[in-house]
Amino acid sequence: MTADQTVERCADGCLRRGDPLGASAPPVRHWVLVEQPGPWGPHPWRDSSLPDEVVSAIAAQAEAVHARVLLIRRPGRAREGLRRWAFVESTPGRERTWWSSYSDPLELADLGLTEPRGELSLAPIYLVCAHGRHDACCAIRGRPLAAALASVRPEETWECTHVGGDRFAGNMVVLPHGLYYGQVPPGSAERIVHQHEAGFLDLAHFRGRTTYAAPVQAAQDLARAESGDTRLDSFPPQSVRHTGHEQWEVTLDGATLEVRATFHRSDTPLTCSATVPAAVRSFELVRWLSKPQ
């Protein structure tokens, strides 16, 4: 490599290749958010300042309810005093958050996730992955996005640890609905917030909803593009049937279609820490059985 050559970051490679954003939200229905200002190491649990016994206790409790754990912090500053933690339910029709506070990390050893406690909230939470020690792109693209969000929704905005899909940075997760957005520039933050709070999705950056499997996410993307209906709760799934290799028939409320997953090998690694190229998944329409009206 010559002096004037630089290694391509994964987010830059993703944009250059045109990797599809859609149907890339990982499956999550429950979340545990723990305020821990950091710094966050490559492995946030192992490298955090939380005591080992607390880390083990949180992990066991989260696993029991199939919850994903994220560390969170306020953008650009450390808070003094009580820290917050939350349990989030993303199941459609039951979206809500229970917020609690703690002063001693040992209090996190018993979160009571099977019978959630704390202050019940239906308000949105805007998370931005800024986990730079996991992938540099998350910090480079995430921190400016978090700052832009905090300028319009300071109480609802948090930086968070790894959410998946580093190459799609800046990555933004909207809870409690479990909505993933990717490749979000700071200038689009306010628009996405306003659209969400009005009950609509920003399809240009939408990665999918974590409560639905990837074929459903893909089918919803196609139905929304066909109909122009960008409501947050449009086209809920009614059934999914496997019809062949990497192919599914998805019946939505308002449309039925077959989708197929396809894979191609990227020309560069998919993350900044990876050393070899990997497969990129996308979905294509096989046929409409019933188009949206």
Side-chain angles (χ1 to χ4, degrees), residues 34-116:
V34 179
E35 184 177 1
Q36 185 69 12
W40 301 329
H43 188 294
W45 289 107
R46 185 178 65 240
D47 303 324
S48 78
S49 59
L50 292 171
D52 290 344
E53 62 269 29
V54 172
V55 171
S56 297
I58 294 174
Q61 293 173 85
E63 183 179 5
V65 295
H66 308 289
R68 180 164 188 170
V69 182
L70 297 176
L71 300 183
I72 60 174
R73 65 189 177 201
R74 290 299 192 185
R77 64 188 188 278
R79 297 195 324 137
E80 300 295 332
L82 289 175
R83 294 178 181 175
R84 305 184 75 191
W85 73 269
F87 180 59
V88 184
E89 164 74 75
S90 290
T91 302
R94 298 168 54 189
E95 302 93 341
R96 66 199 70 191
T97 304
W98 291 267
W99 282 104
S100 300
S101 299
Y102 74 98
S103 57
D104 184 339
L106 293 177
E107 297 173 43
L108 300 174
D110 179 17
L111 299 176
L113 301 183
T114 56
E115 296 183 7

Side-chain angles (χ1 to χ4, degrees), residues 16-265:
R16 174 182 56 78
R17 293 188 304 267
D19 292 359
L21 280 169
S24 64
V28 188
R29 282 183 178 265
H30 301 94
W31 312 73
V32 175
L33 312 178
V34 179
E35 184 177 1
Q36 185 69 12
W40 301 329
H43 188 294
W45 289 107
R46 185 178 65 240
D47 303 324
S48 78
S49 59
L50 292 171
D52 290 344
E53 62 269 29
V54 172
V55 171
S56 297
I58 294 174
Q61 293 173 85
E63 183 179 5
V65 295
H66 308 289
R68 180 164 188 170
V69 182
L70 297 176
L71 300 183
I72 60 174
R73 65 189 177 201
R74 290 299 192 185
R77 64 188 188 278
R79 297 195 324 137
E80 300 295 332
L82 289 175
R83 294 178 181 175
R84 305 184 75 191
W85 73 269
F87 180 59
V88 184
E89 164 74 75
S90 290
T91 302
R94 298 168 54 189
E95 302 93 341
R96 66 199 70 191
T97 304
W98 291 267
W99 282 104
S100 300
S101 299
Y102 74 98
S103 57
D104 184 339
L106 293 177
E107 297 173 43
L108 300 174
D110 179 17
L111 299 176
L113 301 183
T114 56
E115 296 183 7
R117 56 182 183 256
E119 180 184 351
L120 182 63
S121 173
L122 303 181
I125 302 168
Y126 301 109
L127 303 179
V128 176
C129 181
H131 195 175
R133 293 288 299 281
H134 182 88
D135 193 296
C137 288
C138 297
I140 294 168
R141 295 175 180 267
R143 287 176 185 163
L145 172 58
L149 281 167
S151 70
V152 293
R153 293 293 183 272
E155 294 304 313
E156 293 82 13
T157 300
W158 301 84
E159 293 181 352
C160 70
T161 49
H162 178 59
V163 299
D166 305 346
R167 71 188 191 276
F168 297 127
N171 279 304
M172 174 179 171
V173 181
V174 184
L175 298 179
H177 287 81
L179 309 175
Y180 265 54
Y181 290 93
Q183 296 175 348
V184 182
S188 297
E190 185 172 2
R191 184 186 74 245
I192 292 175
V193 165
H194 289 161
Q195 286 181 321
H196 175 74
E197 293 173 2
F200 295 93
L201 301 167
D202 186 309
L203 297 188
H205 299 286
F206 189 53
R207 290 182 54 190
R209 190 168 183 170
T210 65
T211 49
Y212 299 137
V216 174
Q217 294 178 34
Q220 290 179 322
D221 286 346
L222 289 163
R224 288 174 175 135
E226 177 72 19
S227 66
D229 186 346
T230 64
R231 291 174 298 164
L232 190 156
D233 291 314
S234 61
F235 301 108
Q238 296 181 335
S239 66
V240 180
R241 185 170 66 90
H242 193 250
T243 56
H245 179 64
E246 297 291 349
Q247 188 164 312
W248 299 265
E249 179 184 300
V250 182
T251 300
L252 308 171
D253 184 0
T256 302
L257 61 160
E258 268 190 288
V259 296
R260 178 190 299 122
T262 62
F263 300 84
H264 71 272
R265 182 164 290 274

